[in-house]
Amino acid sequence: MRGRGVALAALVVGSCAALSLPVRAQTFPVDDPVLERIWALGMDSSRVEELAQALTDSIGPRLTGSPQLRAAQRWILSRYEAWGIAAREERYGTWKGWRRGYTHVDLIAPRVRTLEGTMMAFSAGTKRPVEGDVIVLPLLETGEAFERWLPAARGKFVLTAAPEPSCRPDDADTRWATPAVRARLQRQRDSIAESWSARLLLAGVDNAGLQRRLEAAGAAGILWARWSRGWGVDRLFGTDVQRVPVVQLSCEDYGLVFRLAERGQGPRLRLDARSQSLGEVPVFNVLAELRGREKPDEYVMLSAHLDTWDGASGATDNATGTVMMMEAMRVLKAALPSPRRTILVGHWAGEEQGLNGSRAFVQDHPDVVGGVQVLLNQDNGTGRVTRIAMHGFTEAGGFFARWLARIPVELSSQIELDNPGRPTTGGSDHSAFLCAGAPAFRLSAEDHDYNVYTWHTTRDTYDKVVPENVRQNAVLTAMLAYLASEDPERVPRDQRLMTANGDSAAWPTCRAPRRSSSEPRAR
């Protein structure tokens, strides 16, 4: 157990059960034809693989404000229509529209090499191939010295992040390097980080501020790197720079160009990068529901964000969560067409910009939020769900324990309840509902290399999806939704609010959504 976690049973069912569940569950604890039907539909006729492949390969990344996100939303609506499930989209605001094109970046001096790089989301492109020398922000003594240096950036590609001394993952160094080598690498990393921080501090800017100043100074392009600490994997986010291309290079290629520039060896780049700004465009959430027969104004909510960063295909962040909730709804429609409470799914936009889609829904639908029985959110990859935190709801653990006791042990035995857990107001869309006091819970999954290799990286593609796990998670979610819908009792909202030390405390401030990209960013 971890902390106050209460394991329902052994966390390991055995290697065979963990890797591949049998087609027919052998261990139903109760005689419940709906649970048996959910199992059969979810395990025998799963749509997980075809849904995940179409969403990631054919539609691809789903950046908020992009045509691909709108295509994905229309595709989800068409799937629900085909399954006979009522679905709709709700506009909650606008966001800066942007379409990605190609990125070609080459080192052309002192030697020729095609570099691995891509534009950051919302970046300006080039109208034609652009060539320029590469320079590094020098270690300047004062802000005035920085101002005097800025004109030197005109027409140049400027490196705006600290390089890594080695792009080998930590586990490779742990396995192969001697203690002396590991100590040397750590000293190098610390020294480089301190030097870069000193450059920014003395210049009087942070990284974002540096990029904006370079844009104003007429730089040809801005070079950036953020290594995930895995082999060949880099994290991609967005940029506020609007007139100059911002390109993220791989850890290895950024280090190469940085060393050449810092040592005066004359690096020169050619960049051909295309993108299209589409202005402010409308943004939407997609909702689908199975209307409740007895308590239509009470809700079991399923939740997953559809939007992504767009360095890859957004497979594990968060096509897996999206497909898991779609599949759960498909199965529930067939097994439980008329639930006691309304079962409502939200496919949110704007999660990557600060939970804007789900926060807007909470703000716009206080009646729904007030009627939530439970909300189940998934947003951390393709691993099996193994943990559900109660977020300080003192009575919720008993409900989950009762529901899980009715579910086949092939699913329930791996689940740990963190009870009562701690409140949280960040991380994913369930937090938007927690801020309003609704009993919202995250279905936390095994890491499955999510944090190093797929989360917000250039490698988050369909091949990283483990269909067996997503299928299992969808069945688990459908069963929990069914049991929560039919439970005669309402989940209480009594909360035990705690600080990190376990003391009682008030909720942190929960901010309102940004409904337009032109609104000030929350600080």
Side-chain angles (χ1 to χ4, degrees):
M1 300 186 213
R2 284 175 288 178
R4 296 179 174 86
V6 178
L8 290 175
L11 292 179
V12 179
V13 185
S15 59
C16 292
L19 293 174
S20 179
L21 290 176
V23 172
R24 180 175 178 80
Q26 304 298 312
T27 48
F28 277 100
V30 296
D31 183 11
D32 187 324
V34 176
L35 289 175
E36 292 179 7
R37 178 72 171 147
I38 289 172
W39 178 276
L41 288 164
M43 303 306 291
D44 294 352
S45 57
S46 173
R47 300 288 192 273
V48 160
E49 289 183 76
E50 64 184 72
L51 292 171
Q53 187 277 329
L55 182 57
T56 57
D57 283 347
S58 184
I59 296 172
R62 302 167 298 283
L63 184 72
T64 294
S66 71
Q68 286 80 12
L69 179 60
R70 291 297 291 135
Q73 291 167 332
R74 290 190 291 269
W75 174 78
I76 288 177
L77 289 170
S78 73
R79 293 299 84 213
Y80 281 129
E81 181 181 7
W83 298 334
I85 298 173
R88 64 189 186 276
E89 57 184 15
E90 288 189 356
R91 178 173 171 172
Y92 66 85
T94 63
W95 205 255
K96 50 189 172 186
W98 188 76
R99 177 183 282 116
R100 177 181 290 282
Y102 58 74
T103 304
H104 298 157
V105 55
D106 299 290
L107 178 71
I108 56 176
R111 61 186 177 92
V112 175
R113 173 180 166 83
T114 294
L115 304 180
E116 182 181 359
T118 189
M119 283 184 296
M120 292 177 69
F122 305 114
S123 172
T126 63
K127 293 182 173 60
R128 62 188 66 82
V130 174
E131 294 185 10
D133 295 334
V134 182
I135 61 174
V136 180
L137 173 69
L139 184 59
L140 303 164
E141 294 299 325
T142 63
E144 291 77 10
F146 172 67
E147 296 295 333
R148 291 194 297 272
W149 171 84
L150 268 175
R154 185 171 186 82
K156 307 289 198 312
F157 290 96
V158 187
L159 296 148
T160 62
E164 294 289 337
S166 171
C167 299
R168 291 181 183 273
D170 291 341
D171 58 0
D173 289 330
T174 300
R175 184 177 182 185
W176 300 112
T178 65
V181 170
R182 291 199 297 272
R184 187 262 299 169
L185 284 171
Q186 190 58 55
R187 286 195 301 272
Q188 281 185 283
R189 284 198 171 98
D190 292 344
S191 175
I192 291 169
E194 289 171 8
S195 172
W196 192 256
S197 295
R199 297 180 202 213
L200 296 176
L201 180 65
L202 293 170
V205 294
D206 57 13
N207 264 313
L210 172 61
Q211 292 184 358
R212 288 191 292 269
R213 297 302 307 278
L214 293 171
E215 175 187 35
I222 295 169
L223 304 178
W224 170 255
R226 185 169 176 185
W227 182 41
S228 77
R229 308 193 75 82
W231 283 114
V233 185
D234 304 279
R235 299 209 192 282
L236 283 178
F237 295 92
T239 180
D240 290 329
V241 173
Q242 300 296 307
R243 301 189 302 275
V244 174
V246 183
V247 176
Q248 174 151 329
L249 296 180
S250 69
C251 179
E252 292 83 359
D253 284 345
Y254 188 88
L256 164 65
V257 176
F258 196 103
R259 290 189 298 272
L260 291 171
E262 192 169 48
R263 299 176 192 191
Q265 294 170 349
R268 187 172 176 84
L269 299 186
R270 178 188 291 121
L271 174 66
D272 187 5
R274 304 302 168 95
S275 67
Q276 183 182 6
S277 175
L278 304 175
E280 287 281 319
V281 300
V283 285
F284 304 85
N285 294 318
V286 173
L287 304 161
E289 70 175 38
L290 301 173
R291 194 68 176 162
R293 66 182 188 278
E294 292 181 17
K295 296 179 177 291
D297 296 328
E298 293 183 15
Y299 298 87
V300 174
M301 288 198 67
L302 308 183
S303 168
H305 74 89
L306 176 62
D307 68 302
T308 70
W309 290 114
D310 71 332
S313 304
T316 66
D317 184 24
N318 186 34
T320 45
T322 299
V323 166
M324 172 179 157
M325 299 307 172
M326 293 176 68
E327 175 73 349
M329 289 293 285
R330 181 191 72 84
V331 168
L332 285 165
K333 172 64 176 176
L336 186 71
S338 183
R340 186 180 192 190
R341 293 179 174 88
T342 296
I343 299 177
L344 176 66
V345 61
H347 298 288
W348 315 115
E351 192 271 352
E352 300 292 3
Q353 285 70 45
L355 316 184
N356 289 324
S358 55
R359 290 185 195 274
F361 180 89
V362 167
Q363 190 176 75
D364 294 344
H365 296 279
D367 54 333
V368 175
V369 176
V372 168
Q373 164 81 331
V374 293
L375 177 140
L376 304 173
N377 184 70
Q378 214 282 325
D379 177 21
N380 70 322
T382 193
R384 298 176 307 152
V385 171
T386 56
R387 183 173 178 269
I388 308 174
M390 296 298 100
H391 297 306
F393 289 96
T394 55
E395 305 300 320
F399 282 78
F400 275 92
R402 187 167 71 246
W403 299 333
L404 288 166
R406 298 179 64 85
I407 288 175
V409 297
E410 287 84 353
L411 301 178
S412 64
S413 62
Q414 70 198 32
I415 307 295
E416 178 186 345
L417 296 182
D418 182 10
N419 185 30
R422 290 189 172 88
T424 177
T425 56
S428 191
D429 294 292
H430 63 289
S431 300
F433 291 82
L434 287 173
C435 283
F441 307 96
R442 185 171 192 162
L443 303 177
S444 297
E446 296 170 313
D447 184 84
H448 220 93
D449 289 331
Y450 176 78
N451 284 298
V452 172
Y453 281 99
T454 61
W455 174 64
H456 291 183
T457 74
T458 53
R459 301 295 189 266
D460 193 12
T461 46
Y462 172 74
D463 56 290
K464 309 308 186 305
V465 175
V466 181
E468 294 86 347
N469 292 345
V470 182
R471 180 170 69 235
Q472 175 178 339
N473 292 344
V475 170
L476 170 68
T477 301
M479 288 181 173
L480 287 173
Y482 155 60
L483 293 166
S485 168
E486 304 307 300
D487 198 305
E489 297 182 51
R490 184 84 181 267
V491 175
R493 299 193 173 199
D494 301 337
Q495 287 179 275
R496 177 185 179 187
L497 304 181
M498 296 178 293
T499 67
N501 296 324
D503 302 324
S504 61
W507 271 92
T509 300
C510 296
R511 69 170 182 80
R514 289 179 71 201
R515 293 181 180 266
S516 167
S517 62
S518 61
E519 291 181 28
R521 188 182 300 273
R523 298 295 182 187

